[in-house]
Structures are given as structure tokens and as C-alpha cells.
Amino acid sequence: MNIDIIQNQKEIVLNHTGSGKPSFKKFHQSIKGKKDEMKIVYSIDDLLHDSEKGGTEVWARFIRNCLKFYDIRLKKYKTTKRNQELKRNLANNENQIAMGVVIAAFSKIQHLELSSSISEDPNLDPFCVISQGKDKIDKICESMTDECAKDVLESIKEAIRNHDLKY
């Protein structure tokens, strides 16, 4: 375990308890009921699971008291945090897929050199400068019909118009 991380986490505790010996009672009273109570406990997670138990008997006692009081809540907090991260990643993946479809549609229209008011819409320019996932976009583009590409871009144009979106 990195000694700097543990030292940093000890300082977090001492910020709440005052200098000297780390008192669980002072620590708990200073963070109890705060909106970010579990966030503070989570910020000392490495210290709470330090195999050396903080390096001294005083810190070992503080850690044992914290684990007795916070362990179950800390596990729930970590699980919630992990689930939120998974949901965020899933949403990002879905957004990337949607962007891929848009870019593929735009590319297909450009590739076919179809001249239409849709493909010339300057609001769609941001979609053609994204180069991430080029292989995925090429695959989507191959399987997309010309009509589908037109429909996708028409839908985007309509959404931009209806919601007054700006870039």
C-alpha cells in the first residue's frame, strides 16, 4: 500500500478530529449527518483496510471503531457508486452508438454525393469531424441503405429545428 495515500487519508481524519490522537468519536460527530458523510468515509477507505492498521495502536483503534460503525454502510455506498458508474458507462456506450449511426448516415450521404438540403445543413457539420470508432462507423455505413441514411439525417435536422439546438 502506498504510504503517501495512507498519510493523506490520515490527514483527512485529522482535519475532522483536530490534531493529536485520532478520536473516532470526534470524527463521527464532525461528519455525522452531513450530505457527504459516506463520501468522507470512502475517502479514507485505503486507511480502513490498511494491513498495518495505520501503523500505531491509536490508529488501529480508530480504524477498528470505524469499521464497526461504517463497514456495512461503506459496502452499500461502494455498490451504489459502482452501479452508478456502470449506468454512466452504459449511457456513454449508447450515446456513442447513436453518434456512430449519425456519422455513418452523414458519411453515406456525402459518399454518394447526394445533393440535398439535408446533407448541406451546416448544423450537421459537427457530426462529420468525429473520427472515433471509424471501423464501427464503416460497418454501420455498409449496412445502411441510402433511404435509411436520408431518414436519419432528416430526423436529426427536425430535432435540431424543434429543440432549437445550438453547437
Side-chain angles (χ1 to χ4, degrees):
M1 178 107 17
N2 187 342
I3 197 81
D4 290 338
I5 292 172
I6 296 296
Q7 190 56 42
N8 200 16
Q9 293 178 350
K10 285 181 177 181
E11 288 174 20
I12 292 169
V13 172
L14 293 175
N15 284 341
H16 291 280
T17 64
S19 59
K21 294 181 180 180
S23 160
F24 171 75
K25 186 176 180 180
K26 283 183 187 174
F27 178 75
H28 177 63
Q29 285 175 342
S30 73
I31 68 169
K32 182 179 166 185
K34 283 189 177 179
K35 183 178 159 190
D36 56 353
E37 178 181 353
M38 288 317 295
K39 189 175 180 181
I40 294 167
V41 175
Y42 184 67
S43 72
I44 62 168
D45 188 49
D46 288 328
L47 177 63
L48 296 181
H49 295 93
D50 177 22
S51 58
E52 309 264 323
K53 292 292 179 205
T56 67
E57 182 54 37
V58 173
W59 278 101
R61 188 178 331 112
F62 172 81
I63 291 168
R64 281 193 305 271
N65 287 333
C66 275
L67 287 176
K68 267 189 239 172
F69 194 83
Y70 293 116
D71 200 38
I72 292 170
R73 289 174 64 202
L74 185 58
K75 285 176 184 165
K76 284 181 184 175
Y77 180 83
K78 283 184 192 178
T79 302
T80 302
K81 194 172 174 106
R82 196 176 316 114
N83 288 343
Q84 288 170 341
E85 188 65 32
L86 288 172
K87 283 179 185 175
R88 216 175 1 262
N89 288 343
L90 183 61
N92 285 343
N93 289 343
E94 288 173 0
N95 289 343
Q96 285 176 351
I97 291 167
M99 286 296 284
V101 170
V102 170
I103 295 164
F106 198 82
S107 298
K108 187 146 191 126
I109 294 283
Q110 285 184 323
H111 179 70
L112 295 170
E113 295 179 353
L114 297 174
S115 60
S116 72
S117 61
I118 299 169
S119 61
E120 294 168 6
D121 189 334
N123 284 320
L124 298 176
D125 286 346
F127 295 116
C128 19
V129 295
I130 300 170
S131 61
Q132 292 177 332
K134 183 156 175 32
D135 293 340
K136 268 187 187 177
I137 291 168
D138 288 343
K139 284 180 185 174
I140 295 170
C141 201
E142 286 171 15
S143 63
M144 185 181 288
T145 65
D146 302 348
E147 212 41 54
C148 179
K150 288 179 189 176
D151 288 346
V152 167
L153 294 181
E154 188 59 56
S155 297
I156 292 166
K157 186 176 178 183
E158 190 175 320
I160 289 169
R161 190 174 45 248
N162 290 343
H163 298 287
D164 196 29
L165 298 175
K166 303 284 183 230
Y167 297 97

